[in-house]
């Protein structure tokens, strides 16, 4: 029981922080480009209560952590109104990239911190030091996973907004018609299929290789073990 609680704590805490910063980054960049929607709704805050989704931020990640499955989740989406931006098409692409971008930046910062701390405070198993190191490792992994996962070109992920902005306008209009079905597709592909057919690890197959590649590049760059 204690191990289960420890596992949940060392995954849920870093996941919550990673998701909150991801969403707030969207809102801040949108405000820079003229959209005040998130600011007016009080969503440009690091208070997790404002962003936590009971299913996507708490229940699902806890179940995945206990099951030893890849951890992913989501928060309440920060409201963004592209029509209020000065250049809706291209500014929306940058707003979409802001979330994964902050996740990669935080992963890099955490690896640098680990590289600086490893000599004066070597990682040990158990106790407060072990808890801190496990959180740092998981925070790095979760941020990279969130960045890669959200860049999938499937609505409503950030990658779909990037694709929509890069496509020629006629193709983008057709692509945008898939948006109402994105959430259903996500539930079927990443929740229903793994539950019904455990042998098909869609999450691992899609994001595992790019996540591992990014982590290897970071480890090579900074000489830290994430």
């Amino acid at each position: 029981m204690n191990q289960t609680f420890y596992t949940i704590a060392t995954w849920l805490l870093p996941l919550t922080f990673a998701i909150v910063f991801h969403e707030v980054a969207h809102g801040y960049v949108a405000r820079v480009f003229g959209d005040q929607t998130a600011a007016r709704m009080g969503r440009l805050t690091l208070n997790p209560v404002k962003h936590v989704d009971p299913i996507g931020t708490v229940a699902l990640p806890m179940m995945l952590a206990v099951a030893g499955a890849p951890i992913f989740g989501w928060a309440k989406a920060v409201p963004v109104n592209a029509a209020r931006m000065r250049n809706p098409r291209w500014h929306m692409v940058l707003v979409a990239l802001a979330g994964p971008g902050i996740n990669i930046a935080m992963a890099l910062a955490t690896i640098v911190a680990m590289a600086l701390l490893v000599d004066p405070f070597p990682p040990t198993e158990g106790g407060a030091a072990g808890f801190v190191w496990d959180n740092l490792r998981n925070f790095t992994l979760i941020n990279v996973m969130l960045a890669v996962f959200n860049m999938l070109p499937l609505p409503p992920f950030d990658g779909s907004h990037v694709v929509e902005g890069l496509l020629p306008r006629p193709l983008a209009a057709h692509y945008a018609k898939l948006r109402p079905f994105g959430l259903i597709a996500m539930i079927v592909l990443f929740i229903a299929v793994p539950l019904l057919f455990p042998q098909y690890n869609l999450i691992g197959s899609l994001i595992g290789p790019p996540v591992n590649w990014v982590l290897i590049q970071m480890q090579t760059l900074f000489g830290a073990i994430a």
Side-chain angles (χ1 to χ4, degrees), residues 3 6 121-134 137:
Q3 183 59 41
Y6 185 90
F121 304 102
T124 58
E125 292 187 6
F131 181 77
V132 170
W133 275 98
D134 285 342
R137 290 191 184 96

Side-chain angles (χ1 to χ4, degrees), residues 46-68:
L46 296 179
N47 179 1
V49 175
K50 295 286 188 178
H51 305 283
V52 166
D53 179 275
I55 302 299
T57 319
V58 181
L60 178 62
M62 285 176 60
M63 290 189 294
L64 293 173
V66 172

